[in-house]
Amino acid sequence: MEQKKLLMCYGKTSFTPGRYLEDAFRNIGVKVDVYTSFIDFSNIALDEYVAVLFVESPSVPAVSVKQIDRVNIPKFFWIHHGENRLNTNKSLVRRYQPDLILMAHSLHLANHFSVPVKFFPFAMATDIFNDVTPLQDRPMDITSVGTLDPVLYQKRIRAIKKIKERFHKTYRLSFHKRVFLHDLAKTYGQSKLVINHAADTIKSLNMRIFEGIGCGSLLLTDTVPKLDILLEDGKHLVLFDSHSDLLEKVDYYLTHVHEAQKIASSGYQHLLAYHTYEQRAQALLNWAEEGIHPS
């Protein structure tokens, strides 16, 4: 059987969702040719590829394109941000002319685009964020890794402050680390609980949800749109609806580690069964092969 080939166009960095998805395509046997800054489609043998995938990459310049009108295979554009990048992504949609937009979250913005949209959330990068160390053997009790930008994350800042005030003498805490990839996975894999707190105004699914659960920790998070169709409260993770609720649940699960372990293990197994990047990659291939073609 001839190996399938995919074109990916994105500003590649080592710890972006695009990189995890690229790895996943290769893991399922797809050859991926990557263009990181510029692509001229008049120089591409398009009949060799099943699809073109553009990926939003805010930290680097967007890929420039030439002769996009020549593309006669399915074009996808995976968007990772919501309101804060809406105008930029509308401009990129005009540039890339996708047949289908994939949105990691913020589906309420779908009507801002003139082409069809599908929900395509982040996932578990099984070769990095994957740890089954029993909670009772982990040296850290509570961990939170994430930006503390005071403009966007006042609630997250207050939550961490309250956890410190309440538990600094009782439990082992780890906050504010600027770590990535395998160092981040190690940090999560050493902690019983991972705390996630969405931004104050832009409530959306983030990568931490999949990273923390994938590393076998019990994830405590506030709720965001679409989370409930991916994961179940009390079965795969634990939701909190206020900071007082968060403090109560932190204390409860650290004094009932067997219950925390049951939920953490269930969440981990659920990600492996339904939410890996390999499964996301296969879904995209299926959509391409089902006939999502330019109009």
Side-chain angles (χ1 to χ4, degrees):
M1 181 180 296
E2 186 176 355
Q3 185 181 29
K4 295 177 181 177
K5 295 174 66 177
L6 177 79
L7 277 170
M8 282 190 73
C9 304
Y10 73 111
K12 183 175 180 176
T13 65
S14 61
F15 46 86
T16 59
R19 175 267 167 106
Y20 302 147
L21 187 60
E22 178 190 336
D23 290 348
F25 277 115
R26 293 198 172 97
N27 290 343
I28 65 173
V30 176
K31 176 176 171 51
V32 185
D33 289 337
V34 180
Y35 289 78
T36 60
S37 59
F38 171 76
I39 183 168
D40 182 348
F41 286 105
S42 67
N43 295 326
I44 305 294
L46 290 166
D47 58 347
E48 296 181 2
Y49 298 92
V50 296
V52 181
L53 173 61
F54 298 97
V55 182
E56 181 189 7
S57 305
S59 62
V60 294
V63 174
S64 297
V65 299
K66 187 176 181 180
Q67 301 292 326
I68 190 75
D69 293 338
R70 288 176 175 263
V71 180
N72 57 359
I73 57 176
K75 301 188 297 294
F76 300 89
F77 178 34
W78 189 19
I79 293 176
H80 301 153
H81 291 78
E83 287 89 346
N84 57 325
R85 293 255 312 168
L86 178 59
N87 289 333
T88 298
N89 284 326
K90 288 168 67 175
S91 175
L92 290 175
V93 166
R94 292 191 292 270
R95 178 187 299 186
Y96 298 145
Q97 300 176 29
D99 306 300
L100 183 66
I101 294 173
L102 310 174
M103 296 188 73
H105 53 74
S106 302
L107 273 293
H108 63 285
L109 300 177
N111 61 358
H112 287 270
F113 302 102
S114 58
V115 295
V117 169
K118 277 186 179 290
F119 183 36
F120 196 78
F122 304 124
M124 177 183 176
T126 55
D127 55 340
I128 301 174
F129 298 97
N130 192 341
D131 196 317
V132 292
T133 303
L135 297 187
Q136 64 182 11
D137 296 336
R138 299 185 176 206
M140 201 61 59
D141 292 310
I142 308 167
T143 291
S144 177
V145 178
T147 180
L148 297 178
D149 182 339
V151 176
L152 299 175
Y153 294 99
Q154 280 292 327
K155 292 180 180 178
R156 180 184 292 179
I157 291 169
R158 288 199 294 272
I160 290 175
K161 181 180 179 181
K162 289 177 181 292
I163 290 172
K164 286 181 173 181
E165 290 173 348
R166 174 82 173 269
F167 298 124
H168 72 280
K169 293 183 179 179
T170 311
Y171 299 124
R172 293 157 295 182
L173 314 179
S174 174
F175 297 117
H176 309 336
K177 289 185 177 180
R178 295 291 294 170
V179 289
F180 304 95
L181 291 174
H182 296 284
D183 289 335
L184 178 58
K186 182 179 179 181
T187 297
Y188 287 152
Q190 291 178 337
S191 186
K192 298 178 180 69
L193 307 185
V194 167
I195 309 300
N196 179 55
H197 207 307
D200 295 346
T201 58
I202 302 175
K203 296 292 185 181
S204 60
L205 289 166
N206 58 34
M207 294 167 63
R208 190 176 301 103
I209 292 169
F210 301 92
E211 293 165 348
I213 296 175
C215 286
S217 302
L218 176 62
L219 183 81
L220 277 69
T221 181
D222 53 344
T223 190
V224 295
K226 297 293 184 181
L227 179 60
D228 59 341
I229 70 172
L230 300 176
L231 298 157
E232 184 177 339
D233 181 26
K235 184 176 181 180
H236 306 129
L237 45 63
V238 172
L239 298 180
F240 61 85
D241 57 20
S242 66
H243 289 162
S244 60
D245 186 38
L246 171 62
L247 295 178
E248 289 179 10
K249 287 175 175 174
V250 163
D251 199 31
Y252 178 83
Y253 285 106
L254 287 176
T255 55
H256 297 78
V257 177
H258 63 291
E259 293 186 36
Q261 183 68 73
K262 183 178 179 180
I263 298 171
S265 296
S266 177
Y268 171 85
Q269 292 297 332
H270 186 73
L271 290 193
L272 281 182
Y274 300 103
H275 300 296
T276 67
Y277 277 105
E278 285 75 16
Q279 288 158 335
R280 299 284 189 264
Q282 187 59 58
L284 190 148
L285 286 182
N286 293 344
W287 294 335
E289 294 173 347
E290 287 167 2
I292 300 175
H293 294 288
S295 56

